[in-house]
Amino acid sequence: MRALIESMLSRLVGKSRLDIVFADGSQRSVGAGSHPGLTMRILDRPTEVKLALNPELALGEAVMDGRVVVERGSLYDLLDMLIAGASRQELTAWTRPLTRFRTAIRRVTQNNNPAWARRNVAHHYDLRTEFFRLFLDEDLQYSCAYFPSPDISLAEAQAAKKHHIIAKLAIEPGHRVLDIGSGWGGLGLSIARETGASVKGITLSREQLAVAQERAAAEELPVDFQFQDYRTLAEPFDRIVSVGMFEHVGVGYYRTYFRKVAELLTANGAALIHTIGRTTPPGATNPFIAKYIFPGGYIPALSEITAAVEREGLIITDVEVLRLHYAETLKAWRERFLARRKEAVAMYDERFARMWEFYLAASEASFRHDDLVVFQLQLAKRLDTLPMTRGYMEA
């Protein structure tokens, strides 16, 4: 198994260098680099076997359980190196069959019927809000920020994201706006505050809903946050926005989702769907993310989204691809999390903190080196609903 681990890591490390300390204390160096770089220690033999057979799942689990530790360098340095290498080639000879199998069964693992959807949302989003406050901005924006310039703060970039979305929707006073997956309420409140529209926000997170309702009551804005599944809605809306929710819909429900969007939009309505996406053909969710972070979640290919949109009578009026914006967002979250890591341990435990450090670091590296971007799709029922040129989006 050690030979397999060495072979795999050697291909991933490339021109750099990684020193591996195995469970028996033996040490090997892989990569073409001559100077000491990173050192990774594997603490037991069973972990060596798991890393050789299923590295995509086993590495995260081993870090989370303290069975793989980075002794020189940081966890992010290690993951950045490995993910950059993995984006160029397969990890092992059996990685592709594993990915094909996960892709083949994804309609089962992503069977996000109403009951499973509530359970999956609660797994992640019903963690204590105080935990998310450790690393998010004050508005609790938990999605990709927008960096019109690289030197702005996280809070400024999140405000720019909201402004960018609001501009794309061309919201007018008196419009009724639906926010699907409204989180802690920041976007809905900003829409009402800045445009004079009334907003209905829906979520399946009890924790987020309580905070959003408290914020809405304090500001006395025309915003109504409810615990509700999008499939149960029946009232009309002039505008629909969904940020960071489509990743939880599940491939088997894409047509259901866009059929409901089409049903709810008025004849002159428009929608903006903001979702993480992949630049490659359809695939499978990373097994560590699926098991520990976002059960039932999936990052769609653009082809999967557009096929569902086209079949449900909606027109794609604009598509924007945000490249590297999420990498910068995750960098800010990771740095803020590490600065307050002890508080996360106190809230939960060390294993939980290691899991989240791995998740944030791996996600950042994936958005830098892998096939992940963010799609913003603008949809309408009519060709003349929105202006013919894009200038209004930058207003």
Side-chain angles (χ1 to χ4, degrees):
M1 291 300 174
R2 290 175 185 173
L4 288 174
I5 292 173
E6 287 182 44
S7 174
M8 173 181 65
L9 292 177
S10 179
R11 295 198 307 274
L12 298 184
V13 169
K15 296 181 180 180
S16 301
R17 170 175 159 176
L18 174 63
D19 297 329
I20 313 163
V21 182
F22 290 100
D24 64 357
S26 62
Q27 180 172 321
R28 297 299 298 269
S29 296
V30 297
S34 58
H35 298 290
L38 295 165
T39 300
M40 163 185 162
R41 180 182 290 273
I42 306 171
L43 297 183
D44 56 71
R45 291 295 296 273
T47 298
E48 294 176 359
V49 175
K50 292 176 182 177
L51 286 171
L53 296 179
N54 191 3
E56 289 182 288
L57 175 62
L59 179 59
E61 290 186 326
V63 169
M64 183 171 65
D65 293 335
R67 292 179 282 110
V68 164
V69 296
V70 180
E71 295 188 330
R72 184 169 58 228
S74 69
L75 177 61
Y76 176 77
D77 294 335
L78 175 66
L79 294 175
D80 187 65
M81 173 191 291
L82 298 181
I83 289 172
S87 68
R88 298 188 295 268
Q89 57 190 301
E90 296 177 24
L91 297 180
T92 66
W94 48 86
T95 298
R96 181 174 290 180
L98 280 174
T99 299
R100 285 175 176 168
F101 173 73
R102 292 175 186 135
T103 303
I105 65 170
R106 61 191 185 148
R107 285 183 178 266
V108 175
T109 58
Q110 298 171 37
N111 181 23
N112 292 326
N113 59 56
W116 282 35
R118 288 193 297 270
R119 182 201 64 184
N120 291 337
V121 166
H123 175 88
H124 188 90
Y125 296 98
D126 279 350
L127 296 172
R128 302 177 203 170
T129 299
E130 291 310 307
F131 168 71
F132 289 100
R133 291 189 192 278
L134 296 180
F135 60 94
L136 300 182
D137 65 300
E138 289 185 3
D139 195 48
L140 292 171
Q141 288 295 303
Y142 191 31
S143 59
C144 177
Y146 183 67
F147 290 84
S149 61
D151 57 347
I152 62 175
S153 69
L154 175 63
E156 290 170 327
Q158 291 291 13
K161 181 266 299 292
K162 291 187 295 180
H163 180 78
H164 194 52
I165 289 171
I166 291 170
K168 282 187 173 186
L169 284 165
I171 302 171
E172 299 175 2
H175 271 168
R176 297 191 73 247
V177 180
L178 171 65
D179 183 0
I180 304 177
S182 50
W184 291 280
L187 177 59
L189 292 169
S190 292
I191 290 172
R193 191 185 304 121
E194 296 179 20
T195 70
S198 62
V199 180
K200 178 169 184 174
I202 61 170
T203 178
L204 293 180
S205 168
R206 297 286 188 187
E207 179 74 17
Q208 290 184 328
L209 176 64
V211 174
Q213 289 178 333
E214 182 180 350
R215 295 177 68 183
E219 291 205 46
E220 298 183 345
L221 290 168
V223 182
D224 178 30
F225 293 112
Q226 296 292 331
F227 186 87
Q228 192 169 1
D229 190 294
Y230 71 92
R231 287 164 283 208
T232 66
L233 291 164
E235 57 201 287
F237 295 92
D238 302 292
R239 298 291 186 264
I240 296 176
V241 63
S242 182
V243 177
M245 180 272 178
F246 190 76
E247 299 92 321
H248 305 287
V249 169
V251 291
Y253 293 91
Y254 284 2
R255 290 192 63 181
T256 299
Y257 178 88
F258 286 112
R259 186 179 306 128
K260 178 56 70 171
V261 169
E263 174 191 321
L264 297 176
L265 277 179
T266 60
N268 206 35
L272 190 286
I273 311 300
H274 170 119
T275 178
I276 298 171
R278 63 181 71 221
T279 60
T280 53
T285 302
N286 174 277
F288 179 83
I289 297 297
K291 184 175 181 179
Y292 294 101
I293 308 299
F294 292 118
Y298 172 66
I299 296 174
L302 188 60
S303 57
E304 295 174 288
I305 302 174
T306 56
V309 171
E310 291 164 359
R311 285 171 171 80
E312 298 307 326
L314 291 166
I315 301 167
I316 299 174
T317 50
D318 190 82
V319 178
E320 183 175 6
V321 181
L322 304 183
R323 299 164 291 105
L324 296 175
H325 290 262
Y326 218 156
E328 292 303 310
T329 305
L330 284 155
K331 178 183 178 182
W333 289 348
R334 178 177 60 85
E335 291 174 345
R336 290 160 70 95
F337 176 82
L338 291 176
R340 303 182 67 180
R341 191 180 185 280
K342 291 182 180 179
E343 295 176 64
V345 173
M347 286 184 198
Y348 291 98
D349 57 31
E350 180 62 39
R351 184 174 184 269
F352 178 88
R354 286 195 293 259
M355 178 180 72
W356 268 79
E357 183 179 352
F358 183 90
Y359 156 56
L360 292 172
S363 296
E364 179 188 344
S366 295
F367 275 94
R368 291 199 186 281
H369 304 296
D370 213 346
D371 60 352
L372 302 184
V373 294
V374 170
F375 299 134
Q376 286 189 348
L377 284 84
Q378 185 193 70
L379 312 174
K381 286 186 171 181
R382 295 170 42 172
L383 287 173
D384 61 351
T385 294
L386 297 159
M388 291 176 60
T389 58
R390 303 182 84 248
Y392 70 97
M393 297 183 183
E394 307 299 329

